[in-house]
Amino acid sequence: MALIRPFQNSDTNRLAVAWREHWQTVGPIVSTTSAQLEQAILDKPFFEFDHMLVIEEEGQLVGFSHLQTDPSDDPPIRARIASFCVGQCADRRASAAALLQASIDLSAKAGIREFEVGTVLGDLSGLVGLEPYSGVIGIPDSDHLMVELLTAAGFEPRTQMIAMELDLTSFRAPVDRELLLLRRMATIDERPQQLPTDWRAACAHSHFDITEFVVSNRTGQELASATFYLSDRDALVMDRGLLYLANFDDLSGNPLDVDLAAEVRYAVAGSLPSMVQRRFHTVRAIINSGKPSAPARIDFLTRLGFHHVAAGSAYHRTL
């Protein structure tokens, strides 16, 4: 008989096993370790033991559900299942359904009214960088079990995300007349950024570094920027050869159009060669497909050589 209970320190190694087994059923082969899960989830000062539920079968932990409340609420009325995994067990669907319902019941008992499942890039969960895509695109569309259970429980997809990747080992920056002109008329400067001053954001981002490349003209006017997340040298969470292209923006006040400003293209394409020299092998970009600029951004990345690797959504339900 399955037993659902709060997390205990002795569960750490089995969390990693459940994580790996869950993702093997979805598709990607991952090698996430207990040390990585500790840094991303358990070591965060906002981690609450009673908000992580684990499920056991025959005395063996086979899955877990990690709840987080919205830090801006007092008292909390919004909660999210930041990560949800069920590995190999006798009846995986029944165990997953029971664990999901227990998470919903725990939230409702605490007065939660708005409930989401799955984190996306920008959420302060601490999961960004964990493989495969769970920290940035919500519940992947390829996770058929979770999609089925959430739909049956009355959840609806609300924030739809697309993951795209570029292999840097064969990357060559595109060349056109506008970019050639910018090479002569503008500079690209790298600016390592400090962690956010908000303590929750700083803790959630503590396992990676943030660096920004800014394109400026001869007068010093800033034209465009590209921001990357990369693994902190002393952290274990992210693949050290992986970059996240977190943002690319026009700083001159012009809205992004279908072709995007040449300065934005220069900020991204011009900064990647320096990352290749630092032995980064992959750059990943996450696009919120619900935003008006999404088609232009996807087209822009495609022309740079990015390809689609996954899609997912954060699911929402009012309790």
Side-chain angles (χ1 to χ4, degrees), residues 121 162 164 211-213 215 223-228 244-251 254-261 263-269 271-272 283-288 293-304 306:
L121 191 66
I162 295 173
M164 302 180 73
T211 190
E212 181 183 33
F213 289 84
V215 176
L223 305 176
S225 68
T227 304
F228 294 91
Y244 277 104
L245 175 56
N247 219 338
F248 44 99
D249 292 302
D250 187 305
L251 302 179
N254 297 323
L256 295 180
D257 56 21
V258 173
D259 295 323
L260 288 170
E263 292 82 3
V264 180
R265 292 188 285 121
Y266 187 48
V268 177
S271 59
L272 288 178
V283 58
R284 181 177 300 161
I286 309 300
I287 304 297
N288 185 336
S293 62
R297 289 176 177 266
I298 292 172
D299 179 67
F300 165 73
L301 293 173
T302 301
R303 285 186 284 148
L304 274 180
F306 283 76

Side-chain angles (χ1 to χ4, degrees), residues 74-104:
D74 187 20
I77 59 171
R78 291 175 289 179
R80 177 189 305 275
I81 295 181
S83 53
F84 188 101
C85 292
V86 176
Q88 298 176 2
C89 52
D91 191 339
R92 186 166 177 262
R93 190 186 189 286
S95 293
L99 186 58
L100 176 62
Q101 188 59 52
S103 301
I104 295 172

